[in-house]
Amino acid sequence: MLSRFLQKSIPMVQVSRALPQTSSPMRFFGKKAGGKGKKDKPSQESVVVPTLDFKAIREDMDRVSAYLSNSYSKIQASRFDPRMIDQMKVDTGSNVVPLSTIAQVAAKTQISFVVTPFDPSNAAALLKTLKSSDLHLNPVMDKNSIRIQVPKTTKETRQKMIKQVSTEYEQQKGKLRNVRKRYMDKVKVIEKAKSTSEDDIKRMKKQIDGITDAVTKEMMEMMKKKEKELEI
């Protein structure tokens, strides 16, 4: 009787607790070994320490000096040197070849010369190449040969040439500094890696500066010689 009374007087309430649903599995994160703020140090094997080859440094700097010398050979004042045009590239239509392989260059005087093609059919291509060169030549076709009269250089033109000599020197000097910087940067990497002694680092820097100074001196002498030549 009592049980039936309780069922009537107290309604039964069914409570269900729904678990939240997720579209992805739950992940649990733990602390990394080593504690907060600590970073893994790179292994020594991952650090590449460069080496220095002083012969290669000299060769790289000599290339800058050689470029300057070649540039100066093209700056002439009423004097002709066949080497000025020997290596000009001539487009014959079927191939691009150095001028010296398809023609003979003969100096008549200090200010005139004749270019004679081995094959007359290449005369037009030679004339076009000579006209478009940066030597400011004035080639004229004469039957199967090309005559060139180098114009007399005025004082104003000589001054422009001397200025060009100085400009070329400064440009190549800048390239030389870039070569020096490239190798000095390598020394910094070696120094940072602590793979050699401080005395060795100082010695490396001194050798690089020594090579730089020697090549700079060569280039300076080259510039002065060219300026003197143009002043005559």
Side-chain angles (χ1 to χ4, degrees), residues 49-64:
V49 181
T51 57
L52 286 184
D53 182 347
F54 292 99
K55 182 180 178 182
I57 296 173
R58 179 73 199 212
E59 289 174 351
D60 283 352
M61 292 192 177
D62 280 343
R63 272 191 280 272
V64 178

Side-chain angles (χ1 to χ4, degrees), residues 1 37 46 58 95 100 111-112 176 179 183 185 200 206:
M1 292 289 293
S46 64
R58 179 73 199 212
N95 205 356
S100 60
I111 60 172
S112 66
L176 196 66
V179 174
Y183 284 104
D185 286 345
D200 284 339
K206 188 175 181 180

Side-chain angles (χ1 to χ4, degrees), residues 22-39:
T22 59
S23 58
S24 59
M26 296 179 70
R27 296 179 181 179
F28 296 90
F29 299 92
K31 292 183 179 180
K32 292 183 179 180
K36 185 178 179 181
K38 291 186 178 180
K39 296 181 180 179

Side-chain angles (χ1 to χ4, degrees), residues 64-78:
V64 178
S65 178
Y67 186 92
L68 181 66
S69 177
N70 183 57
S71 296
Y72 283 169
S73 69
K74 297 177 182 178
I75 303 174
Q76 300 291 329
S78 297

Side-chain angles (χ1 to χ4, degrees), residues 90-92 101-104 115-128 141-146:
V90 182
D91 187 352
T92 62
T101 63
I102 61 171
Q104 181 183 22
V115 179
T116 306
F118 302 134
D119 182 351
S121 65
N122 289 325
L126 284 164
L127 182 66
K128 182 179 178 181
M141 187 69 74
D142 182 11
K143 295 182 180 179
N144 292 328
S145 298
I146 300 169

Side-chain angles (χ1 to χ4, degrees), residues 75 77 158 161-162 165 226-232:
I75 303 174
R158 287 178 184 274
M161 287 181 173
I162 291 172
V165 167
K226 191 65 184 180
E227 287 178 340
K228 188 175 181 180
E229 175 188 314
L230 293 170
E231 288 171 355
I232 297 174

Side-chain angles (χ1 to χ4, degrees), residues 97-164:
V97 295
L99 185 146
S100 60
T101 63
I102 61 171
Q104 181 183 22
V105 183
K108 295 298 182 182
T109 66
Q110 285 189 341
I111 60 172
S112 66
F113 56 99
V114 176
V115 179
T116 306
F118 302 134
D119 182 351
S121 65
N122 289 325
L126 284 164
L127 182 66
K128 182 179 178 181
T129 298
L130 291 166
K131 280 185 175 181
S132 61
S133 76
D134 57 358
L135 297 176
H136 308 293
L137 303 174
N138 187 26
V140 178
M141 187 69 74
D142 182 11
K143 295 182 180 179
N144 292 328
S145 298
I146 300 169
R147 289 186 295 103
I148 298 177
Q149 187 82 13
V150 180
K152 188 175 181 179
T153 308
T154 63
K155 183 178 180 180
E156 183 182 358
T157 303
R158 287 178 184 274
Q159 289 175 344
K160 287 181 180 179
M161 287 181 173
I162 291 172
K163 186 177 180 180
Q164 184 182 351

